[in-house]
Amino acid sequence: MAIDVVPPLIAAQLNYLVTHAPFSVKVENMCSGGKNTGWFDRFSLVIPFCLDYIKWDVIYNAVYPLAAPDVIFGAEDETFRPYHAVRDASDSKSLKNPLTDWNNRDPTSLFTLVLQLRELYKAYQKKRVEQVDDDRLKFEISTMLSREGIEMSLSSNIDKPEEVKFAVPLLDLDLNKMVAGSTWRHPQKIYLQVIYPVGRKYSSVPSAPRLKLVSSPELKAVFSIDDFRLPAWLDGMCMAEYLPTLEEMLESQIKDAVASIESRRKLIMALAPLFGRPVEADPLFCRKATFLSSSGVFTFLVHVAIPLQFPKLQPSLILQSSQHFNSQGLPIKSPVTTEYPWSPRWETSDMAERIFDFIVEECLNFKKYCNESMLQNR
């Protein structure tokens, strides 16, 4: 029986795309187009766009591996015909259709095609939005033309009223460089998602759009956008007025969040002389550390989880016995606790000493809790 595999030429192109694309690309629904070939030669690409995702089907032919693939766009984009649209002379000179001169032996071929198609799709959606008969939208677009990297899309559905979505990149900061030692592969970004309902008439006092802050998933290890409170949208405001205040607040809090990494590192270092060298610690973001401790013959682990809002919020502690196990054979742990003396104004050494003093007392209660749990499991 044939083993289903991806043909080497297609695999090389896929690997290059996933590895080198400036955005995260997911490959789904890999399957074979032939009954007896055993080759996976078609798949779906899930591509981020305007803080959402678009899915395109890519169809190769394993029987004719040197032929260019077909690309099928979503049903909602039936009018998107990137290489059939009429363009002005300047565009037609610079734009080269990769499918007309396809080189299947070049691992960058699919990469080049997808990046170009995404740029054309971005232009296609921008044109659709600009054609919307809505005075407010036309005004908002005119005020944001100078900002780079904005993506927009028109959402039209039978079940829902039309609306326009904007993805506005915020802050001219290199967040990757701000976090020393970060290994993030893609640039970390924060966006403001702005959603306007499509209307026909310009109101003297238009309602506020729906606003939501969105960040790269990896950035949440440093800064939680869920804890950020968006500034109020005042009556009569437009995006050009709203964004500077938002960015000023955001930049201040991000710099505080980056500085908090060093504060968390200092706490872990201050705990080491009291508990001993940690058996495990987060060296990059300093969000957690685990210490091996003992009281007499009772040996246990101390798990310290340090919140992003440290030192405003205190670390949470969990004790884990090295000698007591539950009926499933798992080590017995204490409930999470933050019930110990704390002040964000203390010196780091004082914070560490208060945690240590609390553990010295609490470990006796925890040992009793472990013994009682063992008796109940018998």
Side-chain angles (χ1 to χ4, degrees), residues 267-288:
L267 176 65
I268 294 174
M269 293 174 63
L271 289 169
L274 302 171
F275 287 99
R277 185 184 180 91
V279 295
E280 187 178 33
D282 171 11
L284 184 56
F285 305 115
C286 304
R287 294 285 307 278
K288 56 187 178 181

Side-chain angles (χ1 to χ4, degrees), residues 118-143:
R118 191 184 184 281
E119 283 301 307
L120 292 172
Y121 186 78
K122 178 180 175 181
Y124 160 77
Q125 285 289 355
K126 182 174 183 288
K127 186 176 181 180
R128 291 184 71 207
V129 171
E130 290 173 340
Q131 292 173 342
V132 171
D133 184 15
D134 185 303
D135 293 337
R136 182 188 187 185
L137 279 171
K138 292 181 184 297
F139 172 73
E140 290 286 7
I141 293 172
S142 70
T143 66

Side-chain angles (χ1 to χ4, degrees), residues 266-320:
K266 289 180 179 178
L267 176 65
I268 294 174
M269 293 174 63
L271 289 169
L274 302 171
F275 287 99
R277 185 184 180 91
V279 295
E280 187 178 33
D282 171 11
L284 184 56
F285 305 115
C286 304
R287 294 285 307 278
K288 56 187 178 181
T290 298
F291 300 89
L292 181 64
S293 190
S294 62
S295 175
V297 296
F298 178 47
T299 305
F300 57 95
L301 296 173
V302 181
H303 300 289
V304 183
I306 312 174
L308 291 175
Q309 297 83 1
F310 176 86
K312 181 179 179 181
L313 298 181
Q314 65 198 95
S316 59
L317 309 174
I318 297 177
L319 304 187
Q320 175 183 321

Side-chain angles (χ1 to χ4, degrees), residues 69-354:
D70 291 323
V71 181
I72 301 177
F73 307 111
E76 67 279 6
D77 294 317
E78 59 181 359
T79 59
F80 176 50
R81 299 175 182 178
Y83 298 119
H84 295 276
V86 177
R87 300 180 181 87
D88 59 41
S90 61
D91 282 344
S92 61
K93 289 178 182 178
S94 60
L95 185 67
K96 181 181 178 182
N97 184 346
L99 295 172
T100 59
D101 189 23
W102 189 257
N103 182 0
N104 215 26
R105 298 187 184 279
D106 181 0
T108 69
S109 295
L110 182 61
F111 168 86
T112 302
L113 175 64
V114 169
L115 263 61
Q116 186 178 99
L117 284 175
R118 191 184 184 281
E119 283 301 307
L120 292 172
Y121 186 78
K122 178 180 175 181
Y124 160 77
Q125 285 289 355
K126 182 174 183 288
K127 186 176 181 180
R128 291 184 71 207
V129 171
E130 290 173 340
Q131 292 173 342
V132 171
D133 184 15
D134 185 303
D135 293 337
R136 182 188 187 185
L137 279 171
K138 292 181 184 297
F139 172 73
E140 290 286 7
I141 293 172
S142 70
T143 66
M144 294 191 289
L145 288 176
S146 61
R147 295 185 71 98
E148 294 184 0
I150 293 180
E151 295 182 348
M152 59 189 78
S153 67
L154 174 64
S155 174
S156 53
N157 195 304
I158 299 176
D159 303 327
K160 294 169 56 179
E162 280 189 328
E163 57 186 21
V164 169
K165 297 180 181 180
F166 291 91
V168 184
L170 303 173
L171 301 177
D172 188 19
L173 297 174
D174 190 335
L175 299 176
N176 292 52
K177 288 185 178 180
M178 287 181 69
V179 180
S182 69
T183 56
W184 294 321
R185 193 161 66 90
H186 297 296
Q188 298 302 297
K189 299 287 186 180
I190 299 178
Y191 298 87
L192 180 67
Q193 183 184 68
V194 189
I195 302 177
Y196 290 98
V198 174
R200 292 289 181 266
K201 296 182 179 180
Y202 187 86
S203 171
S204 59
V205 185
S207 60
R210 302 205 308 272
L211 304 173
K212 182 181 179 182
L213 213 56
V214 181
S215 75
S216 310
E218 297 92 339
L219 192 61
K220 293 179 180 179
V222 177
F223 178 74
S224 174
I225 58 171
D226 297 331
D227 297 326
F228 181 84
R229 191 168 186 175
L230 287 169
W233 180 284
L234 304 179
D235 289 343
M237 239 184 186
C238 67
M239 286 303 302
E241 296 172 302
Y242 183 79
L243 291 175
T245 301
L246 169 62
E247 290 188 309
E248 183 179 346
M249 293 172 57
L250 195 57
E251 181 174 353
S252 174
Q253 292 196 25
I254 286 179
K255 288 181 177 179
D256 288 345
V258 173
S260 178
I261 296 176
E262 187 58 29
S263 298
R264 296 195 294 269
R265 189 187 313 278
K266 289 180 179 178
L267 176 65
I268 294 174
M269 293 174 63
L271 289 169
L274 302 171
F275 287 99
R277 185 184 180 91
V279 295
E280 187 178 33
D282 171 11
L284 184 56
F285 305 115
C286 304
R287 294 285 307 278
K288 56 187 178 181
T290 298
F291 300 89
L292 181 64
S293 190
S294 62
S295 175
V297 296
F298 178 47
T299 305
F300 57 95
L301 296 173
V302 181
H303 300 289
V304 183
I306 312 174
L308 291 175
Q309 297 83 1
F310 176 86
K312 181 179 179 181
L313 298 181
Q314 65 198 95
S316 59
L317 309 174
I318 297 177
L319 304 187
Q320 175 183 321
S321 176
S322 301
Q323 300 163 288
H324 302 81
F325 303 88
N326 60 22
S327 57
Q328 287 79 39
L330 300 174
I332 296 177
K333 295 182 179 180
S334 71
V336 179
T337 183
T338 55
E339 299 298 323
Y340 58 89
W342 184 262
S343 171
R345 293 180 293 275
W346 288 343
E347 295 292 330
T348 305
S349 57
D350 293 332
M351 296 175 180
E353 288 177 4
R354 293 301 183 102

